[in-house]
Structure formats: C-alpha cells, structure tokens
C-alpha cells in the first residue's frame, strides 16, 4: 500500500532513481516469497523403495505404484549397460516417476532426461505428472528433466486397454483427458542422433512399439543404448518385438527376464 509520503516522494525523486528504489523493493519481496516456498529439508538418497514410500505419502496406492513401476533390480541391470559418458536420456512412459527419477539420479547433475507421457489416468492414479513433479522435487532432480506431456505417437488406449484398478472406463478417459501427440516424430526433427540412451515403457501394443522404435533409431546416437521394459511372457507382444529387432540396427546386450537392453550399431 502506498503511503502519502511515498506518493509525494514519487514526484520529487528523479524517475530513474525512483525506479531503482521500486526495483529493490520488488526484488526483496520476490526473494522473501521464494525463500518461504523452498523446503530446507535435505532430500533422501534415491532408491525405488524411498520413491515408493514418498508416492504413498502423497496418497498413491502402494500396490498400483509397485505393480506399475520397473523394479529396482531391473533398473540396476539396465544401468550397467549405459554408456560411461551418458548424459542425455529419453524416457517414454513415466507413470508416477519411479524409473524416470532413477535414471536422472543415476546420471547425476550434468544430465538431461526428456520424459514423455500423456498424463492420463493410469492404474487408478489421475494426473500422474503431478506426482512425477513432486517426486523430482523431493529428490532434488527437477533441474535435469524436461517433461513433455503427450503421446509418443498418436493417441493410444489408456491402461494398455486393461482395467488394473477397477472401475476404469476407457471411453470416458478418451473424452476427458486431452494431451499432445506425435512427440517422437517431432523430436526427430529437433534432436536427431542426440540421445545416449532411451527407455521405452509407454504403450504396450506391439505394433505401436515397433513404430516408436523407428523414431528411436533416429533419436539415438550411434552406440546409444535402448532399454525396453516388459520383455517377458506376460507381455508377449513386447517380447516378440525384442526378438524381431534387426541385428543390422541393434546389437542385443542382454535381458534379465524383464528388461531387454540393446545398443545402436555405430555404422548402419
Ligand atoms: C508402465 S507405466 C510406466 C512406468 C514407469 N516407466 C516406471 O517404471 O516408473 C506406462 C506409462 O506409459 C504411459 N503411456 C501410455 N501410452 C503412452 C504413449 N503412447 N506415449 C507415452 N506414454 C504412454 C501410461 O499412461 C503410463 O503412465
């Protein structure tokens, strides 16, 4: 609120001096507001178990988070194959952020991970991107992530067409959950041969995944690593895609019964 004295001063102080004083007041106010919103609590060391505990503390269902996220053992397995100098990652299928935060944490402060997900209800959890953001902030990983809200290709069916959490109506979600689409083809225009690794865990339709991989080949740099989740008999479509990937494009590095890891050939 401007006091009468301030109103008067405004007319006798030179304009540029007056603006400097106003700027100082504005800056001090912004700094006060910011420090009041920043948590001083030190983030915990990142593990999937700590991430899941945090997500449950936000109200997420424990069983759905565990069942819908890649397990720590498979993440640890996939990590061993990442290039030693890996800094730029692409992550498709975030859900509530467990595997995404894992990779950002594993890569460290110089990394950037582009994370693609349409932010539609998944396993009964609405607005999962809000949980991803909370998780990243909690573990102080928010400086190293670019969240892209959209489908990797065209709009695809939610929940892999399954009713994981009960009472899910795909048709309703279609009408009420807008999102962007065609993220991967657009990225190929912006950042070809850029990513040191890509993690694919979005739509589990085999034909869709094959088409996503056509973009991934362009987006990975030569020698870049591809991690496919759910290369297992439960997801036989994905298992088949993994088996059929041509050796002229990728060298298969291994599978632990859950994730399949491949390396893009240097010359193809
Ligand atoms: C199995 S969950 C991902 C779990 C996550 N990778 C983890 O381990 O923490 C699959 C996610 O992919 C999302 N998804 C489904 N179709 C997609 C698409 N076409 N593009 C990107 N994400 C998609 C789902 O909405 C869901 O959030």
């Amino acid at each position: 609120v401007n006091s009468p004295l301030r109103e008067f001063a405004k007319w006798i102080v030179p304009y540029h001096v007056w603006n400097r004083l106003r700027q100082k007041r504005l800056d001090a106010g912004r700094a006060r507001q910011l420090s009041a919103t920043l948590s001083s609590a030190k983030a915990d060391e990142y593990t999937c178990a700590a991430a899941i505990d945090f997500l449950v503390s936000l109200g997420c269902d424990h069983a759905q988070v565990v069942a819908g996220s890649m397990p720590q053992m498979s993440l640890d397995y996939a990590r061993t194959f990442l290039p030693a100098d890996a800094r730029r990652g692409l992550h498709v299928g975030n859900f509530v952020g467990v595997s995404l935060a894992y990779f950002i944490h594993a890569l460290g402060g110089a990394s950037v991970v582009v994370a693609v997900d349409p932010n539609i209800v998944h396993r009964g959890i609405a607005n999962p991107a809000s949980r991803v953001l909370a998780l990243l902030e909690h573990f102080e990983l928010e400086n190293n992530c670019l969240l892209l809200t959209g489908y990797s290709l065209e709009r695809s069916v939610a929940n892999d067409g399954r009713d994981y959490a009960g009472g899910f109506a795909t048709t309703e979600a279609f009408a009420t959950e807008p999102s962007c689409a065609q993220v991967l083809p657009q990225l190929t225009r912006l950042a070809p041969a850029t990513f040191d690794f890509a993690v694919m865990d979005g739509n589990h339709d085999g034909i869709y995944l094959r088409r996503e991989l056509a973009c991934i080949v362009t987006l990975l740099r030569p020698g870049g690593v591809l991690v496919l989740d759910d290369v297992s008999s439960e997801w036989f479509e994905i298992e088949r895609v993994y088996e059929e990937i041509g050796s002229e494009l990728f060298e298969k590095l291994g599978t632990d019964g859950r994730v399949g890891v491949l390396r893009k050939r240097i010359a193809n």
Side-chain angles (χ1 to χ4, degrees):
V1 180
N2 285 346
S3 68
L5 189 61
R6 284 180 58 81
E7 276 304 299
F8 177 65
K10 188 161 108 181
W11 299 111
I12 55 169
V13 176
Y15 187 62
H16 70 280
V17 177
W18 178 247
N19 270 353
R20 213 172 299 148
L21 292 171
R22 287 169 75 199
Q23 188 66 58
K24 274 194 165 176
R25 270 184 78 213
L26 271 177
D27 290 347
R30 286 172 183 151
R32 264 197 314 276
Q33 284 179 34
L34 200 58
S35 69
T37 60
L38 288 179
S39 152
S40 56
K42 180 77 194 82
D44 304 329
E45 184 58 22
Y46 188 84
T47 61
C48 293
I52 291 165
D53 284 348
F54 175 72
L55 290 160
V56 170
S57 80
L58 298 181
C60 296
D61 182 273
H62 183 269
Q64 294 298 339
V65 172
V66 172
S69 305
M70 294 167 72
Q72 173 104 34
M73 260 172 58
S74 290
L75 291 165
D76 288 342
Y77 174 78
R79 181 186 175 179
T80 61
F81 295 101
L82 297 190
D85 61 348
R87 290 288 175 270
R88 287 183 277 200
L90 175 61
H91 185 277
V92 175
N94 304 332
F95 186 29
V96 285
V98 174
S99 62
L100 171 64
Y102 175 92
F103 283 106
I104 299 174
H105 178 260
L107 261 55
S111 67
V112 56
V113 178
V114 174
V116 182
D117 191 289
N119 192 30
I120 55 177
V121 66
H122 187 67
R123 290 184 169 272
I125 297 177
N127 192 10
S130 65
R131 320 301 168 123
V132 175
L133 292 169
L135 186 72
L136 294 178
E137 277 211 344
H138 180 74
F139 287 99
E140 298 180 351
L141 301 169
E142 73 277 14
N143 292 337
N144 303 91
C145 183
L146 302 180
L147 276 192
L148 299 184
T149 305
Y151 293 86
S152 52
L153 301 175
E154 73 280 359
R155 179 182 263 277
S156 54
V157 68
N159 278 295
D160 310 304
R162 298 181 178 190
D163 189 4
Y164 289 118
F168 177 71
T170 299
T171 43
E172 256 170 53
F174 261 32
T176 58
E177 297 192 295
S179 195
C180 291
Q182 302 294 354
V183 172
L184 293 183
Q186 296 294 18
L187 274 179
T188 63
R189 299 170 68 193
L190 287 176
T194 293
F195 295 96
D196 301 312
F197 70 98
V199 180
M200 300 303 293
D201 190 21
N203 184 3
H204 284 55
D205 172 330
I207 296 171
Y208 194 98
L209 176 60
R210 261 188 211 99
R211 290 170 42 235
E212 286 175 306
L213 292 184
C215 295
I216 295 297
V217 172
T218 305
L219 289 165
L220 278 177
R221 62 136 158 115
V225 166
L226 168 63
V227 178
L228 295 183
D229 190 28
D230 294 313
V231 179
S232 67
S233 53
E234 193 201 339
W235 293 102
F236 66 93
E237 290 178 83
I238 305 215
E239 199 174 40
R240 200 158 48 200
V241 174
Y242 175 77
E243 279 159 12
E244 286 172 8
I245 289 178
S247 60
E248 69 290 357
L249 289 178
F250 285 98
E251 173 194 356
K252 286 186 180 130
L253 301 179
T255 161
D256 69 342
R258 164 90 193 222
V259 294
V261 190
L262 308 96
R263 185 187 294 124
K264 183 179 164 184
R265 293 213 180 268
I266 303 281
N268 53 60

